[in-house]
Amino acid sequence: MTMFEGLSVAVGLAPVGLMLMAALLGRFDGLPTPGLWKGVLLLSGVALVMAVVSAGMGAVPLLPGLKATSLGLVLAVLVQLLGTVIAAFSARYLQGEPGQRRYVSALAMVLAMVHLLLLADHWGVLIAAWAGVGAALRPLLCFYPDRAFARLADHKKQFADRAADGLLILAAALAWAEVGSGSLTALADHVAHTGLTAGLQGSAVALVLAVVLRTALLPVHGWLIQVMEAPTPVSALLHAGVVNLGGFVLIRLAPLLEQSMVARVLLLALGLATAVLAGMVMLTRISIKVRLAWSTVAQMGFMLVECALGLYTLAALHLIGHSLYKAHAFLGASGVVRHTRLQSLHVAAAPHALSLGLAPVLAVAAVLGVQWLAGLSAWPWWWSVLLGLAWSPLLWVPAGPGCGPGLWPVLSGMSMVTALTLAALGVHALPLGVPQAPAPDALGLAALLGMAVLYTGLTLMQVRPAWLAGAWRWSYAGFYVDEAYTRLALRCGPARWAPPSRYASDAPPVATLRTDAL
């Protein structure tokens, strides 16, 4: 190993090591709480610098089973940036709360396991790191263990995670038997040269099902809604980082996924159903945080649709944009509440009917126009139409005293759609090492039809709510999808959680949530 290679390994692994040090720092009883937060923030800042330096060095192999990819390095910087901001926010947010040492240790361990997952180049490392993320997250989700819904959310998540672990092990076993190695790079080379056998087809299907369970798609989405009982910075960490890992895993294993039509159709069906149903539910919610949670469920569905359609560059852009947006939205949730209240005093809440009808036409025209002017055809035509539908709400104008929507709000919305299209084209041109394998037109048209149904439903629920009175009630109830999964999870055992005995002195009493408690 040359000196440069050794330096690359040390810098690439530095964020993992520094976050493990921060996790151990939380277990040191002799350090006062203010000093603990200062030490964690210092280590987190150094880890952020190391992540930036590693990204500048580029994609290189590190150790057996670990490899720094271009996308993984970019996401490592994003993860550590968000982790540092969330840690600084938590230091103020949790002042006076018991259990801060347990919180610090768990937060740092989550970041360490996420960094390890981003470097995984072996099935064993991938499975262990993803399981480690879930295990480290438990003390954060149950930071207030006396809250019943927090324990219920943790129980449902653990039930889904264990099923996902089994499916990932199955996917790894099938792929390993075919390739003769657990290396993800070797798997990509094998698929490129020999195609997919029946074993690899089964591996791709098992991988898709595992990602669906870990990414909170319907019908196992309920824990992501009920985890609002956790502190706000935990919600920011969860929605901005942890649930997005499924998209990264699919992009990392794109060579396996893109040649399995069965897996892609399954992923498209589950992702599209989640995006449509969660998008409808989100419109009926009043609580800002719960609406943001349902928005995450819908966005995860949409991201997996992008992966199913083979548009991995757009999925990577969606992952980055969603992480930044949700971190800002949750950490600024109190400001959103105040802004919403002030806005309701001045304008009507419902959009203007004319803007609802014109929005998709103008948005699609903007996307196609930008592509034509740029001379780029980065994705199929049906995806341009689908993006226009997805971004149409940016052109919704609140109803006012006039006879039609004002010109300025429409121009403002058009500028945002144009900027998003340029960003998508720009990211597509970056050397992120992300493959691009657009699906057949039949799958694209199915996704387009699903988004058209969603937009039509959202429009009718606002301009003709009487027509969809029954659908509104079902939508407010989440279409009752979560109830069956909740009963199944509770039949397998009551929801129990207790903090580690080391932290028992600073944690509230622990109770058990029984099946008959709901």
Side-chain angles (χ1 to χ4, degrees), residues 137 141 149-150 152-158 160-161 212-231 234-244 274 278 288-301 322 326 330 482 485-486:
L137 195 63
L141 300 183
F149 276 109
L152 176 62
D154 171 70
H155 180 66
K156 291 163 68 174
K157 184 181 187 305
Q158 294 306 312
D161 283 356
V212 166
L213 291 171
R214 278 276 169 77
T215 317
L217 264 63
L218 271 68
V220 296
H221 65 289
W223 66 267
L224 192 62
I225 310 301
Q226 290 151 354
V227 84
M228 292 297 103
E229 295 285 342
V234 174
S235 298
L237 175 70
L238 185 62
H239 290 257
V242 173
V243 296
N244 293 280
T274 298
I288 298 297
K289 286 182 70 175
V290 173
R291 181 180 295 183
L292 287 172
W294 276 104
S295 168
T296 296
V297 175
Q299 294 294 334
M300 291 302 99
H322 180 261
K326 277 299 162 60
F330 272 101
D482 182 50
Y485 175 67
T486 301

Side-chain angles (χ1 to χ4, degrees), residues 309-357:
L309 296 177
L311 302 172
Y312 300 106
T313 303
L314 286 174
L317 174 63
H318 192 166
L319 192 160
I320 295 170
H322 180 261
S323 297
L324 293 171
Y325 164 68
K326 277 299 162 60
H328 176 269
F330 272 101
L331 296 181
S334 60
V336 174
V337 173
R338 289 193 296 270
H339 175 73
T340 302
R341 288 177 175 173
L342 290 173
Q343 189 179 41
S344 64
L345 296 175
H346 297 285
V347 296
H352 198 287
L354 183 59
S355 71
L356 288 168

Side-chain angles (χ1 to χ4, degrees), residues 1 26 43 60-61 64 92 114 156 187 189 224 226 314 365 447 509 512:
M1 180 181 293
L43 290 171
V60 291
R92 298 190 303 273
V114 171
K156 291 163 68 174
L187 172 63
D189 294 338
L224 192 62
Q226 290 151 354
L314 286 174
T512 299

Side-chain angles (χ1 to χ4, degrees), residues 80-373:
Q80 195 56 47
L81 174 62
L82 294 178
T84 304
V85 171
I86 290 171
F89 184 93
S90 301
R92 298 190 303 273
Y93 184 89
L94 296 175
Q95 283 183 3
E97 289 275 6
Q100 291 187 53
R101 295 184 182 281
R102 172 166 47 93
Y103 181 97
V104 167
S105 184
L107 175 62
M109 185 60 72
V110 168
L111 295 175
M113 291 297 101
V114 171
H115 278 299
L116 187 63
L117 176 61
L118 296 177
L119 297 175
D121 190 41
H122 191 280
W123 280 106
V125 178
L126 176 67
I127 295 169
W130 215 351
V133 171
L137 195 63
R138 292 197 71 188
L140 299 178
L141 300 183
C142 292
F143 185 74
Y144 302 114
D146 56 325
R147 297 183 178 181
F149 276 109
R151 298 196 309 278
L152 176 62
D154 171 70
H155 180 66
K156 291 163 68 174
K157 184 181 187 305
Q158 294 306 312
F159 186 75
D161 283 356
R162 299 294 74 77
D165 289 340
L167 287 166
L168 279 175
I169 292 172
L170 175 62
L174 292 172
W176 202 323
E178 293 289 337
V179 179
S181 168
S183 169
L184 302 185
T185 300
L187 172 63
D189 294 338
H190 180 87
V191 171
H193 287 91
T194 64
L196 254 62
T197 60
L200 291 177
Q201 290 278 0
S203 178
V205 172
L207 172 67
V208 164
L209 293 175
V211 169
V212 166
L213 291 171
R214 278 276 169 77
T215 317
L217 264 63
L218 271 68
V220 296
H221 65 289
W223 66 267
L224 192 62
I225 310 301
Q226 290 151 354
V227 84
M228 292 297 103
E229 295 285 342
T232 294
V234 174
S235 298
L237 175 70
L238 185 62
H239 290 257
V242 173
V243 296
N244 293 280
L245 293 175
F248 170 77
V249 171
L250 288 179
I251 296 172
R252 184 71 180 84
L253 290 164
L256 175 65
L257 179 64
E258 67 185 26
Q259 294 198 35
S260 175
M261 188 55 62
V262 176
R264 293 176 78 166
V265 170
L266 178 62
L267 188 62
L268 177 66
L270 295 174
L272 191 59
T274 298
V276 172
L277 295 179
M280 297 282 286
V281 174
M282 183 182 66
L283 193 64
T284 66
R285 295 298 164 170
I286 299 173
S287 168
I288 298 297
K289 286 182 70 175
V290 173
R291 181 180 295 183
L292 287 172
W294 276 104
S295 168
T296 296
V297 175
Q299 294 294 334
M300 291 302 99
F302 195 64
M303 185 189 301
L304 297 195
V305 166
E306 292 166 339
C307 293
L309 296 177
L311 302 172
Y312 300 106
T313 303
L314 286 174
L317 174 63
H318 192 166
L319 192 160
I320 295 170
H322 180 261
S323 297
L324 293 171
Y325 164 68
K326 277 299 162 60
H328 176 269
F330 272 101
L331 296 181
S334 60
V336 174
V337 173
R338 289 193 296 270
H339 175 73
T340 302
R341 288 177 175 173
L342 290 173
Q343 189 179 41
S344 64
L345 296 175
H346 297 285
V347 296
H352 198 287
L354 183 59
S355 71
L356 288 168
L358 288 177
V361 177
L362 295 176
V364 171
V367 175
L368 292 174
V370 170
Q371 280 193 278
W372 179 74
L373 290 174

